[in-house]
């Protein structure tokens, strides 16, 4: 792949049009997993010797070990910042309904009360 952002294109066949994954696949994890081997190259801007760690993240043992930890760290960061960032969007851009638990398909999956007992509706005033 020519650059890291194009790695996400490799996971597009596993993502449905509504943003959900096919089957049990989670799009955020797939994208983070495709970015994980190259994170060390970006870390080299902060720490010079991080570039050398790229040989580990691009090896088979690195993909099965270190890259999994990096991917889950990226997903954790994404889930931490996702809801506040989407809340900054105007209503029509975020689908007109509040987010809850970081899941786009939350209302469809859990019904009106949801897994959080409807607190997402109470927080938004709906």
């Amino acid at each position: 792949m020519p650059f890291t952002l194009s790695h996400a294109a490799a996971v597009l066949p596993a993502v449905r049009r509504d943003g959900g994954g096919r089957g049990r696949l989670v799009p955020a994890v797939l994208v983070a997993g495709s970015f994980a081997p190259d994170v060390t190259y970006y870390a080299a801007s902060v720490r010079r010797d991080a570039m050398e760690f790229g040989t580990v993240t691009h090896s088979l043992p690195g993909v099965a070990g270190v890259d999994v930890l990096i991917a889950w760290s990226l997903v954790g960061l994404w889930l931490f910042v996702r809801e506040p960032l989407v809340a900054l969007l105007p209503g029509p851009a975020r689908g007109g309904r509040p987010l809850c638990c970081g899941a786009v398909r939350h209302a469809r999956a859990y019904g009106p009360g949801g897994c959080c007992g409807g607190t997402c509706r109470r927080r938004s005033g709906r």
Side-chain angles (χ1 to χ4, degrees), residues 86 91-92 94-100 104-105 107-108 121 124 126:
V86 173
R94 64 182 148 110
R97 62 186 155 199
L99 293 174
C100 184
V104 175
R105 296 178 291 148
R108 262 186 284 158
R121 292 179 188 266
S124 67
R126 292 183 184 188

Side-chain angles (χ1 to χ4, degrees), residues 14-16 20-30 72 105:
V15 179
R16 291 190 307 225
R22 297 189 188 277
R24 298 183 65 134
L25 299 175
V26 179
V29 177
L30 293 173
W72 280 110
R105 296 178 291 148

Side-chain angles (χ1 to χ4, degrees), residues 23-69:
R24 298 183 65 134
L25 299 175
V26 179
V29 177
L30 293 173
V31 170
S34 70
F35 289 168
D38 291 345
V39 167
T40 56
Y41 297 142
Y42 293 103
S45 63
V46 178
R47 188 176 170 113
R48 289 182 184 245
D49 57 348
M51 184 69 94
E52 297 168 8
F53 196 63
T55 57
V56 174
T57 60
H58 281 84
S59 68
L60 189 58
V63 168
V66 176
D67 290 347
V68 173
L69 296 174

Side-chain angles (χ1 to χ4, degrees), residues 100 106-107 110-122:
C100 184
H106 172 75
Y110 296 102
C115 65
C116 58
T119 57
C120 58
R121 292 179 188 266
R122 286 194 288 269

